Amino acid sequence: MFSVHGIPDTIISDNGPPFNGDEYARYLKALGIQATFSTPYWPQGNATVERFMRPLGKALKTATLEGRPWKQELNRFLLQYRTTPHCTTGVPPSELLFNRVIKGKLPVINSKKIVDRHKEARDNEKTRQERNREYANQRRNTRKSDLQVGDYVLVRQEKKNKLTANFNHKPYKVIKKTGSEILAQSKDGHIVKRNVSHFNLINKPREEDTDDEGCDYEENSQDNQPSISNENNEVPGRSSRIRRPPNRYGHSEYPSNLIN
């Protein structure tokens, strides 16, 4: 692939094990390629690839169920995908790459001369992305985050059972914010990268806290106020009044001399 299109400057990938190994890192370093990773636990951060994998996976599953070679089906799928007008840009990907019509299995109705459709594709993509963004924001009821660098947060954790808390008790400090992506660091130096929706804002932890189970937080609530005691510091006792059930229908389980 590199021999045809050249060596790219950047390769964007998810955080899977194949892209976190030393061999992969040495390969990119030897070619001068910068590795960029999408936000962990946030597929929307790599939406272009995730959306493409849906029809690709469906085509490979269909080929496997029908007993056809999956490699041959992969080449056929890529040819059809690249020569079909994209739903966002309105232009086939092959025309944007080679600036000419690529012949595929589908018949061509009009063979107009291709000049430069990149501007048309960019305008269509911008319009469609803005429309999709507004629809997604309304559907998910999103709102602007107030998190800033220097804030203390809790990180959402994976649910292992019904008793697992939504957020980890260990406090993190926001050290970098890029759009909706947050970098936060704990007291022991551990750094996490998550979408802004995976954090919960808290007050600054107490400096003197050294407990391994987590930090106490300076919450502005009445629970942290000192308890109010009486002047003589006496423990209130229980009432000595005799408690008995009410007298219903004129019958009583107690002697008459005990009834006031």
Side-chain angles (χ1 to χ4, degrees):
M1 181 182 67
F2 292 165
S3 60
V4 178
H5 304 289
I7 300 176
D9 295 330
T10 305
I11 292 182
I12 303 176
S13 64
D14 57 14
N15 297 268
F19 307 108
N20 288 323
D22 295 336
E23 185 177 358
Y24 178 73
R26 291 195 302 268
Y27 177 73
L28 296 185
K29 185 177 180 180
L31 295 178
I33 303 175
Q34 181 182 0
T36 302
F37 299 96
S38 59
T39 306
Y41 302 103
W42 191 251
Q44 294 89 332
N46 199 16
T48 304
V49 176
E50 295 293 340
R51 185 62 183 88
F52 173 76
M53 293 302 296
R54 187 182 302 177
L56 176 59
K58 188 181 297 185
L60 296 181
K61 288 180 181 179
T62 303
T64 303
L65 292 176
E66 295 181 355
R68 301 196 305 269
W70 67 269
K71 291 184 179 181
Q72 181 179 354
E73 187 64 23
L74 175 61
N75 293 328
R76 182 182 295 110
F77 169 81
L78 292 178
L79 176 63
Q80 296 175 355
Y81 184 88
R82 293 166 178 169
T83 57
T84 303
H86 198 271
C87 60
T88 300
T89 62
V91 182
S94 59
E95 292 186 14
L96 296 177
L97 180 62
F98 300 107
N99 205 28
R100 63 183 179 89
V101 178
I102 303 299
K103 183 180 179 181
K105 285 284 187 178
L106 298 177
V108 180
I109 298 178
N110 53 346
S111 57
K112 60 180 180 180
K113 185 178 180 180
I114 302 300
V115 181
D116 188 359
R117 305 189 66 182
H118 290 83
K119 186 179 184 303
E120 174 188 352
R122 282 192 292 266
D123 294 340
N124 294 339
E125 182 182 18
K126 183 179 180 180
T127 303
R128 186 63 179 266
Q129 286 181 348
E130 291 179 354
R131 187 187 311 165
N132 293 343
R133 187 183 300 108
E134 292 178 359
Y135 172 78
N137 291 339
Q138 293 178 359
R139 184 178 180 182
R140 298 170 184 169
N141 195 21
T142 59
R143 61 182 184 274
K144 186 177 180 180
S145 175
D146 296 330
L147 287 180
Q148 301 295 333
V149 175
D151 291 340
Y152 287 87
V153 293
L154 297 180
V155 184
R156 187 185 301 275
Q157 62 181 352
E158 182 181 359
K159 281 281 189 180
K160 297 181 180 180
N161 51 56
K162 294 183 178 180
L163 301 179
T164 304
N166 292 332
F167 295 89
N168 195 313
H169 61 267
K170 181 188 298 186
Y172 283 75
K173 184 178 181 180
V174 178
I175 59 176
K176 185 179 180 181
K177 181 179 180 181
T178 306
S180 61
E181 185 179 88
I182 296 288
L183 277 180
Q185 184 176 12
S186 64
K187 189 175 181 180
D188 55 5
H190 182 250
I191 297 178
V192 296
K193 180 173 70 171
R194 298 287 189 275
N195 183 267
V196 67
S197 61
H198 287 243
F199 294 97
N200 187 25
L201 179 66
I202 61 174
N203 291 338
K204 183 179 180 180
R206 297 175 181 174
E207 296 294 338
E208 64 272 10
D209 182 61
T210 56
D211 189 7
D212 292 336
E213 295 297 328
C215 296
D216 295 332
Y217 311 111
E218 300 174 356
E219 300 290 349
N220 297 325
S221 62
Q222 297 180 356
D223 297 338
N224 292 332
Q225 300 297 330
S227 58
I228 302 176
S229 58
N230 52 20
E231 296 179 356
N232 298 327
N233 293 329
E234 297 178 355
V235 179
R238 292 182 176 273
S239 174
S240 59
R241 181 176 61 87
I242 299 177
R243 298 184 180 183
R244 51 187 176 273
N247 185 8
R248 297 187 178 91
Y249 307 109
H251 300 284
S252 174
E253 299 179 0
Y254 294 88
S256 59
N257 58 351
L258 293 180
I259 303 176
N260 295 330

